[in-house]
Amino acid sequence: MVLKINGLTLALGEREDLLPARVAALLGLSEGAITDLRVIRRSIDVRRSRPPRFVFLLAVRLVDGVGWRPSPGRNASGVSVTEAPDIPEKPQGPSGGVLNPGRRPVVAGCGPAGLFAALTLAANGMPVLLLERGKAVPERLSDVRAFWETGVLNPESHVHFGEGGAGTFSDGKLTTRVKNPYTAWVKRVLADMGAPADILTDARSHIGTDRLREIVVNLRHRLIGMGCEIRFGAHVTDFLIRQRKLVGIIVNDSEEIRADRLILATGQSAADTYRKLAERGVALGPKAFAVGLRIEHPQESINRIQYGRWAGHPDLSPADYFLTAKIKALNRSVYSFCMCPGGMVIGCSAEAGGVITNGMSRFRRDSPYANSAVVVNVRVEDLGGEGPLAGLAFRRHWEERAFRAGGGDYCAPVQRLTDFLAGKDHSPIGRCSFLPGVREADLRDVLPPFVVEALKRGFAEFERKMPGFITGEAHLIGVETRTSSPVRILRGEDGQGVNVAGLFPCGEGAGYAGGIVSSALDGIRAAERIKASMGTDFKSVPIDACPH
Ligand SMILES: Cc1cc2nc3c(=O)[nH]c(=O)nc-3n(C[C@H](O)[C@H](O)[C@H](O)COP(=O)(O)OP(=O)(O)OC[C@H]3O[C@@H](n4cnc5c(N)ncnc54)[C@H](O)[C@@H]3O)c2cc1C
């Protein structure tokens, strides 16, 4: 018999090897009656009124013949026990095999969407040609470091472009609201490629940029081993479309590659690619997104607020937060986004003359700072311009304002939170992690007025929910504009462009995903749609989707 036990807790300082004894006590059985115990999910319950504790979802197998009658609901301690069909197997990816692969599919973009699309297709007998305009991790790292240290931007090799895509320099948070049967498989692949095993069970798992850089290189070697060809410095610059069908692509303005199936996973920062799609008549639409700032506190302050007197306990990771505020009077939402405990705020410029901020952390989350985006929703009608690309011009405008306010050398404008709220001139700031550097400025000048107004009210609400959030120690750094794509590449039920057969837009750039896991899942979906488009040429046979 297998039981699912939800809500069992361990206090700070208690080790997981206590779990069998706790489960036995809960069930009124001896420990010997338990033959297998798996942690399915581990989360932390932080409420300021009581000590933090770890909460578990477990699958437990009992010795044959030992009976247990689950009772409905939760017991007085909030624990529920239900019968489960079995201990979950290792998660499997989509499987199948190809009778006649025909021309090999092409994947443009080596971010999570492109990598997982390639992996799914390769595992199904269709190794792909993977084209990436940026560089492989080691060379990319040199370019990004040079930008952070000297402010010299390489427009083809930066935080958004290159092997691993936009997620390579990130916190590597794997949280997603998307419910999808392959989420566990995505995590398993990442763990197989070198991510810490904790990601398989932690409710708020993260990998860290240091580990991610190794993982994407391992994944590249795996794909090559499965027959894929991967080319860096291969920028898809044009699309050949005849009678509403994709027939090929142009790479680096010179090389023609015949292709009748292209997975377009080029992310949200390839403004030139969106423009080329528009020029070729591919159906696009504008999309709502969000803009705002990054806020940075000392990590110790956030730990103190969240953990109270337990702050600093060795079992506790650097604390995080997720805050939202509905500003009814303005009909806007303000929310924290992509919080990086123990991280740093980084310059993420993607085009010359623009400043963009975002957050990153190492696996150990060991910097003395806590940062998060705080953003306000932007509706399509706020974008001003007409047409599907209006959002590109909108975000570019504010990124240029931030560039000028930061002094025109890719330093970011910065202001104390308290000065921003008081509408005061900026006073000198304290230490701040941002690379390549910051200059004091009035951040009201680098954001649309409706965003400034909503942020002010939002911060007041955050302070109510998390007393101590507003402090002179907190800095605001501008601007955060790449929360999600402002453009959607319109696709039909079959996953293909609504007016171009053979074009499979996916991932964040297509406007149907945002974040590492959801983009990877959308890449898998695109690969599945390619399989479906092959009709009778595709024969389903079970194979391990990630063979070793
Ligand atoms: C600093 C930072 C931190 C982040 N932190 C997190 C986090 O902690 N957790 C999380 O879930 N998400 C995070 N994100 C968001 C996440 O990285 C993205 O949502 C995700 O990477 C999108 O995946 P994608 O594959 O759709 O696109 P991308 O990752 O953007 O990849 C697109 C790739 O396509 C390439 N490309 C573009 N145009 C072309 C072309 N024409 N030809 C060939 N190649 C092209 C690009 O060079 C790029 O490598 C972060 C983003 C940034 C920038």
Side-chain angles (χ1 to χ4, degrees), residues 108-115 131-134 140 156 159-175 234-237 239 264-270 272-273 294 338 340 346 348 358-360 482 506-509 513-520:
C110 201
L115 286 170
L131 302 172
E132 166 56 53
R133 71 194 289 173
R140 182 182 183 198
E156 284 300 310
V159 171
H160 304 271
F161 289 174
E163 186 172 22
T168 304
F169 298 93
S170 81
D171 178 54
K173 268 178 290 298
L174 301 180
T175 37
H235 179 180
V236 176
T237 46
F239 304 88
L264 189 70
T266 43
Q268 59 148 316
S269 290
D272 55 353
T273 307
R294 267 263 145 192
C338 190
C340 299
I346 51 171
C348 300
N358 209 311
M360 169 179 102
R482 309 276 167 129
C506 71
E508 188 164 63
I516 294 169
V517 172
S518 76
S519 300

Side-chain angles (χ1 to χ4, degrees), residues 103 117 140 150 166 233 250 286 306 337 348 352 436 448 450 469 472 489 528:
R103 194 170 269 143
R140 182 182 183 198
T150 64
I250 302 290
Q306 298 295 70
F337 176 74
C348 300
F450 75 84
F469 190 86
I489 307 173
E528 294 265 77

Side-chain angles (χ1 to χ4, degrees), residues 281-357:
V282 174
L284 307 172
K287 186 182 140 296
F289 62 116
V291 302
L293 302 158
R294 267 263 145 192
I295 187 164
E296 184 170 76
H297 289 83
Q299 181 64 52
E300 270 187 7
S301 311
I302 299 299
N303 291 349
R304 238 183 356 256
I305 299 172
Q306 298 295 70
Y307 295 146
R309 65 189 171 86
W310 294 277
H313 191 286
D315 281 1
L316 291 172
S317 316
D320 63 6
Y321 57 81
F322 174 63
L323 293 164
T324 58
K326 275 241 167 294
I327 315 297
K328 281 202 185 122
L330 303 174
N331 192 18
R332 297 278 170 190
S333 304
V334 182
Y335 53 97
S336 66
F337 176 74
C338 190
M339 203 260 152
C340 299
M344 37 271 187
V345 185
I346 51 171
C348 300
S349 296
E351 293 145 53
V355 161
I356 306 168
T357 65

Side-chain angles (χ1 to χ4, degrees), residues 387-405:
L389 302 186
L392 295 180
F394 179 91
R395 72 182 186 186
R396 176 77 186 146
H397 172 80
W398 297 106
E399 290 163 7
E400 285 175 348
R401 296 273 289 240
F403 179 77
R404 288 197 294 274

Side-chain angles (χ1 to χ4, degrees), residues 110-168:
C110 201
L115 286 170
F116 273 85
L119 183 66
T120 306
L121 287 171
N124 283 276
M126 277 183 282
V128 304
L129 170 63
L130 182 51
L131 302 172
E132 166 56 53
R133 71 194 289 173
K135 298 181 183 176
V137 163
E139 296 81 27
R140 182 182 183 198
L141 188 55
S142 308
D143 291 332
V144 171
R145 282 209 179 116
F147 173 63
W148 288 339
E149 283 160 17
T150 64
V152 176
L153 176 73
N154 177 343
E156 284 300 310
S157 177
H158 45 65
V159 171
H160 304 271
F161 289 174
E163 186 172 22
T168 304

Side-chain angles (χ1 to χ4, degrees), residues 34-50:
I34 298 168
T35 57
D36 196 358
L37 184 153
R38 302 266 180 93
V39 175
I40 308 297
R41 195 178 60 235
R42 175 183 186 264
S43 54
I44 182 162
D45 176 11
V46 179
R47 289 177 225 182
R48 271 160 237 138
S49 52
R50 65 169 185 221

